[in-house]
Amino acid sequence: MLSELLHRHQADFGPVLPLDLNSPEVARLDFTAANPLLTAANLHDTATFDQLVARLLADKNALIGVGGYLEDRVIYRRSPGLFDADPTAPARSLHLGVDVWVRAGTPVLAPLQATVHSIQDNEGHGNYGPTVILEHELEGVVFYTLYGHLSRRETALLRPGLVIDKGDTFAEVGPAPENGDWPPHLHFQVIADLQTRVGDFPGVALMSERATWAALCPDPNLILQSRHLTTD
């Protein structure tokens, strides 16, 4: 399994952001229904959402927020119809990546040598915005990392097939509204099989399909290695 491969190579990964994700300035943020602050919040309004993120960080004396992997989130109600055109379909709420809530303009680094697989601006309120998918190989196994909510300026310079060395900056965290109209953050996701997709991949799935998607998209913290993301 890809998760086992990533675990064996943890010492080989570099940072995805030029930040210490084990710092006391980092805190885990909760975007599930268990968080009472989300109940009445107008998450459709990005400025209000940004203020909510700032409050969550301030409550924990933190500057950076992390979290989200396999979290059953309520925040996707801000963009009805984005994930499922059929309003009668079960709502997707299972988050498949890790979000790191940081300032726009924060550099994004390749955690290991990579080739740019694809770039796409996934426009729309609540979507990824500018997105980059990198292709990697370890022990002959090919896998991918996805970076969502980037800035347009840097991603416009990338081309499929471009080789990026470990530690190289290849993008920046984007501002709203070009980042999909979110408070600034990086969506980081690991993918075993893109299933022929280019420039985009589901970041949210049905809770009923948790086991399937968890195998396809293993824990990004195997690369990020933040104690704040460790499951108790």
Side-chain angles (χ1 to χ4, degrees):
M1 292 179 62
L2 178 55
S3 58
E4 296 170 353
L5 175 66
L6 297 178
H7 190 272
R8 287 199 299 274
H9 284 269
Q10 282 190 308
D12 299 327
F13 300 134
V16 171
L17 297 160
L19 309 165
D20 180 5
L21 294 182
N22 289 303
S23 164
E25 296 180 337
V26 179
R28 188 162 186 163
L29 301 187
D30 178 5
F31 289 110
T32 71
N35 187 339
L37 293 178
L38 301 179
T39 304
N42 178 16
L43 300 179
H44 183 80
D45 181 73
T46 303
T48 301
F49 196 172
D50 199 28
Q51 293 170 4
L52 173 64
V53 172
R55 178 177 175 181
L56 293 173
L57 291 172
D59 286 348
K60 297 191 175 185
N61 296 313
L63 298 176
I64 299 165
V66 293
Y69 181 61
L70 299 185
E71 186 174 69
D72 183 7
R73 290 180 156 186
V74 298
I75 59 175
Y76 300 116
R77 68 185 187 215
R78 71 190 304 259
S79 303
L82 174 63
F83 301 110
D84 297 287
D86 181 0
T88 65
R92 285 195 276 163
S93 61
L94 180 70
H95 192 242
L96 302 176
V98 161
D99 288 337
V100 185
W101 303 83
V102 290
R103 290 183 178 181
T106 302
V108 181
L109 288 59
L112 67 163
Q113 184 166 327
T115 302
V116 175
H117 175 274
S118 48
I119 314 104
Q120 184 166 297
D121 193 345
N122 295 294
E123 296 182 281
H125 182 82
N127 210 333
Y128 279 138
T131 308
V132 175
I133 298 177
L134 300 184
E135 180 177 314
H136 312 277
E137 182 178 342
L138 285 174
E139 298 182 20
V141 176
V142 174
F143 66 98
Y144 308 87
T145 50
L146 181 149
Y147 308 78
H149 312 301
L150 305 175
S151 67
R152 288 183 177 140
R153 182 181 62 184
E154 286 71 26
T155 54
L157 302 175
L158 300 175
R159 296 292 182 271
L162 179 69
V163 175
I164 301 177
D165 290 331
K166 172 184 172 180
D168 281 358
T169 297
F170 66 91
E172 290 183 356
V173 174
E178 69 182 66
N179 69 350
D181 214 2
W182 290 87
H185 71 285
L186 174 69
H187 172 95
F188 176 64
Q189 186 170 335
V190 180
I191 305 165
D193 181 3
L194 283 174
Q195 301 175 331
T196 74
R197 293 179 173 89
V198 175
D200 195 8
F201 194 86
V204 185
L206 292 172
M207 285 297 297
S208 61
E209 298 175 351
R210 186 181 191 276
T212 298
W213 286 99
L216 185 60
C217 299
D219 189 351
N221 200 40
L222 291 167
I223 293 176
L224 295 174
Q225 300 177 54
S226 171
R227 64 180 175 83
H228 299 284
L229 291 167
T230 302
T231 303
D232 295 331

